[in-house]
Amino acid sequence: MKTLIAANWKMHGNLSWLQKPADFRRLFPAKNTNIDILLCPPAHMLQAMVRACDGQDIAIGAQNCHDQIKGAFTGELSADMIAETGAKYVIIGHSERRAIFGDNDAWVAAKTSAAQKACLKPIVCVGESREEREAGKAEEVVGTQLAGSIPANADGENLVIAYEPVWAIGTGLTPTIEDIATIHDHIRGCLTIRFGNKIASKIQILYGGSVKPENAIEILALKDVAGALIGGAGLEMQSLAAIASEV
Ligand code: 13P
């Protein structure tokens, strides 16, 4: 399975950041390896970023989409609109969207289907809060989110899952390596029960939450971790390249 190193820029960056793909390739020149590199910039630079990545073997993704094709949804972008920019991926159900913008499991599932119909690869995010982990409910919460957020048509390659414990995002805290392994194993188990081993074994499961060059080697070495969804450390190409070098 290929490793996906994905940077979620959230609401950071401006058009001067169009330079970053070239900067990344200066630091990490190896192309067409078993590592896929993905940058998810704010929507206003999607199309220009796709152009800036021409020949760089770097994919571009959006950070959200709407579940409808078109309509009176002020401020929203449909999956087709995102696909039209040349982007290939879209992050769906990030914990910030779930917490701030009301994305729930049903909506995440609808957005995921919309993304698939538009030939985008959705990266569906799940993860427990601090209270849920402390109450020993991390596996239960993640299992419920998966069941509600993943549409029935998974074929192994038409979506990616990102496990992002909410309390690890932007805090510098990470679960222990054993805890990451346990949840990823649990996710694989849930997918196997629902879709069967042939499909479940092909689904990439990323880890996200305070990934940085110092901890990437240990996390990415885990059997069921097929990459990372990176926030803060993905804003600087130096640290993103350092993480990619650990694969
Ligand atoms: P940090 O890497 O800054 O913790 O953010 C993770 C994240 O939310 C990626 O989607």
Side-chain angles (χ1 to χ4, degrees), residues 68-194:
Q68 302 293 306
I69 293 171
K70 61 179 179 178
F73 302 107
T74 301
E76 290 291 308
L77 285 179
S78 73
D80 291 280
M81 291 166 183
I82 291 167
E84 209 173 20
T85 69
K88 299 289 181 221
Y89 289 79
V90 56
I91 299 169
I92 298 183
H94 189 278
S95 66
E96 288 148 19
R97 298 258 0 142
R98 289 177 185 262
I100 306 169
F101 302 101
D103 290 21
N104 57 24
D105 288 342
W107 207 12
V108 172
K111 291 179 177 199
T112 301
S113 293
Q116 289 168 333
K117 283 190 196 115
C119 297
L120 294 172
K121 197 177 263 205
I123 301 177
V124 180
C125 302
V126 294
E128 82 286 358
S129 67
R130 179 191 296 275
E131 298 73 40
E132 289 161 342
R133 172 153 290 268
E134 284 169 358
K137 291 188 170 161
E139 290 183 36
E140 182 190 329
V141 167
V142 167
T144 305
Q145 287 178 338
L146 278 179
S149 304
I150 308 289
N153 67 338
D155 67 6
E157 267 145 36
N158 63 356
L159 90 165
V160 174
I161 291 167
Y163 167 56
E164 296 207 310
V166 180
W167 53 274
I169 294 176
T171 57
L173 303 171
T174 51
T176 63
I177 287 298
E178 293 72 28
D179 285 342
I180 296 174
T182 301
I183 297 281
H184 277 245
D185 187 55
H186 176 65
I187 292 173
R188 185 80 65 202
C190 294
L191 296 171
T192 304
I193 290 168
R194 181 145 173 226

Side-chain angles (χ1 to χ4, degrees), residues 199-215:
I199 289 175
S201 61
K202 283 197 245 159
I203 299 177
Q204 282 180 304
I205 309 173
L206 314 181
Y207 169 78
S210 294
V211 175
K212 39 188 187 265
E214 300 77 49
N215 60 20

